[in-house]
Amino acid sequence: MVTLLFTDIEGSTRLWADFPDEMPGALEHHDALLDESVARHGGRVVKRTGDGVDAAFFDTSAALRAAVDAQLALVGTAWPTSPPVRARMAIHLGPVLERDGDYFGMPPNMAARLRDAGHGGQTLLSDATVREIEDQLPDDVRLA
């Protein structure tokens, strides 16, 4: 069983159109923040998806902590764009097919759909994820 954390910058097409000179550096900083959060909590960045990250964890609560850390780091950054860079994130878990270091099957598809339903600054959790970690939430995290 693998827990997947999928992210995407909300409104990136507009940000690239409005801030073409600033976005390369902003994307690089975004990626560094995500990479640091994923690594700090024992995950692995599986791939980059344009302006998003697909990461995998073997501990669901670690995936949630990575998402919270990344969201806080993104909010705490003084971005050169207006609106600022904000990521929508989703966490889903399940059995996957691993091939060439990537994951396939229903869980990645569900994580992507859930991510796409969110807004910048949100981290959406699937029901399976909630059942797995609802009694392990960090003190400063609440489910709504």
Side-chain angles (χ1 to χ4, degrees), residues 111-142:
R113 285 182 175 84
L114 190 59
R115 175 205 59 216
D116 292 347
H119 298 286
Q122 287 184 316
T123 301
L124 303 181
L125 310 180
S126 67
D127 288 341
T129 302
V130 170
R131 285 191 300 273
E132 180 76 15
I133 61 160
E134 62 188 335
D135 61 342
Q136 304 170 40
L137 293 175
D139 291 338
D140 57 344
V141 173
R142 301 287 178 264

Side-chain angles (χ1 to χ4, degrees), residues 21-105:
D21 296 331
E22 292 85 356
M23 279 303 290
L27 181 61
E28 186 176 325
H29 186 66
H30 162 274
D31 289 353
L33 292 175
L34 268 289
D35 289 353
E36 290 168 14
S37 295
V38 169
R40 184 179 315 114
H41 294 286
R44 176 176 71 88
V45 172
V46 175
K47 64 183 169 186
R48 300 207 185 282
T49 56
D51 58 17
V53 170
D54 292 359
F57 296 79
F58 292 104
D59 178 341
T60 305
S61 62
L64 177 61
R65 287 191 303 277
V68 170
D69 280 358
Q71 291 286 23
L72 291 173
L74 291 168
V75 168
T77 296
W79 296 99
T81 61
S82 181
V85 172
R86 294 290 180 256
R88 51 188 172 191
M89 300 185 186
I91 302 173
H92 181 65
L93 67 124
V96 294
L97 170 65
E98 183 177 0
R99 187 175 67 201
D100 298 326
D102 200 353
Y103 296 104
F104 300 88

